[in-house]
Amino acid sequence: MSGPPVLWIHGFPLSSDVFIPQRAISDARHFMPDLRGFGSAAPPSQPLSIDDYSNDMFSLLDSSRVRKAVVAGLSMGGYIALAMAKGNPERIAGLILIDTREVADNQAARAKRLEMIGAVEREGIDPVARDMLPRLLSRNASPELVSRVEAIIRRSSVTGVTAALAAMAGRPDSSQLLPRIEVPALVVVGSEDVITPVADSERMVARLPNARLHVVEGAGHLSNLEKPRDFNEAVGRFLAAEMQI
Ligand code: MLT
């Protein structure tokens, strides 16, 4: 593999399997880890913050001897990407912010996460699958794709899910950070995203000094998975234009 290192950080309650279509992006060295307690990663043994996941990502880069990478974060992965940009900006070559947002949870969103933690502790993964699955893809997604996403969700561990919910509830607002991020950024969003709608991405682009927006028409929250060709072309153009590292 040649080209810039790209670290892909998945969303909640998913795994790196959502990035399988992005392996086709050539001229990049892809790193696609599972966050703790998701996919094949061991569950966390203690509560986590978004900064803890960010530290995990830097440790992975360290163990691969990668000093500087493009960080591509999908939704919760975007929250982690912003934490990485805040903590170690010199290690970030560029950002790809996918169906995500910079603002913190409001009180209602935080309360819903705490309720979900209780439900998952009592009933397992079912409640989170019921809540998330109908909102992750557009209404036009094929039943086959819906089943694939459901299978990914159901591999998640209870402690992985509850730790991630608590970490997202406690994450800081990154609005003041965005104007200080000078590296090139690509902000991508599905036109049908109901979790982080297009307006969230437009606001991030307005606050970032060096960002461009790409709207994936007809895709929901998992825009990379639902319309991989459109998504991959946008990323390929961004990497070719901006990333000579
Ligand atoms: C995600 O896709 O990672 C989550 O929907 C993010 C969130 O719940 O804020």
Side-chain angles (χ1 to χ4, degrees), residues 105-160:
D105 278 2
N106 60 25
Q107 252 184 350
R110 211 166 281 145
K112 188 182 165 203
R113 297 213 203 263
L114 300 184
E115 256 174 51
M116 184 58 80
I117 290 175
V120 170
E121 282 171 347
R122 286 190 305 275
E123 298 169 47
I125 297 301
D126 259 349
V128 83
R130 275 199 306 271
D131 177 55
M132 294 298 292
L133 193 58
R135 299 187 292 137
L136 289 170
L137 299 164
S138 79
R139 274 172 303 173
N140 296 324
S142 68
E144 187 270 332
L145 185 57
V146 175
S147 307
R148 255 163 56 204
V149 172
E150 179 166 14
I152 293 173
I153 294 175
R154 290 193 181 280
R155 269 188 80 196
S156 307
S157 67
V158 164
T159 47

Side-chain angles (χ1 to χ4, degrees), residues 65-218:
R65 295 170 195 259
V66 172
R67 178 76 199 135
K68 206 166 176 174
V70 177
V71 180
L74 166 63
S75 203
M76 175 183 168
Y79 310 155
I80 298 167
L82 290 176
M84 293 176 75
K86 184 175 181 190
N88 287 86
E90 71 288 352
R91 299 195 64 180
I92 311 297
L95 280 177
I96 304 177
L97 297 171
I98 311 156
D99 295 277
T100 189
R101 57 162 89 87
E102 81 290 24
V103 290
D105 278 2
N106 60 25
Q107 252 184 350
R110 211 166 281 145
K112 188 182 165 203
R113 297 213 203 263
L114 300 184
E115 256 174 51
M116 184 58 80
I117 290 175
V120 170
E121 282 171 347
R122 286 190 305 275
E123 298 169 47
I125 297 301
D126 259 349
V128 83
R130 275 199 306 271
D131 177 55
M132 294 298 292
L133 193 58
R135 299 187 292 137
L136 289 170
L137 299 164
S138 79
R139 274 172 303 173
N140 296 324
S142 68
E144 187 270 332
L145 185 57
V146 175
S147 307
R148 255 163 56 204
V149 172
E150 179 166 14
I152 293 173
I153 294 175
R154 290 193 181 280
R155 269 188 80 196
S156 307
S157 67
V158 164
T159 47
V161 165
T162 54
L165 284 165
M168 289 193 286
R171 76 187 189 279
D173 190 291
S174 297
S175 303
Q176 303 305 316
L177 170 70
L178 294 190
R180 292 189 272 125
I181 296 179
E182 282 165 8
V183 292
L186 173 66
V187 178
V188 190
V189 61
S191 64
E192 311 302 311
D193 186 344
V194 293
I195 297 180
T196 48
V198 174
D200 285 336
S201 285
E202 288 172 343
R203 190 186 56 241
M204 287 195 291
V205 170
R207 287 179 180 168
L208 285 158
N210 188 6
R212 66 186 76 175
L213 176 67
H214 182 78
V215 178
V216 181
E217 290 302 329

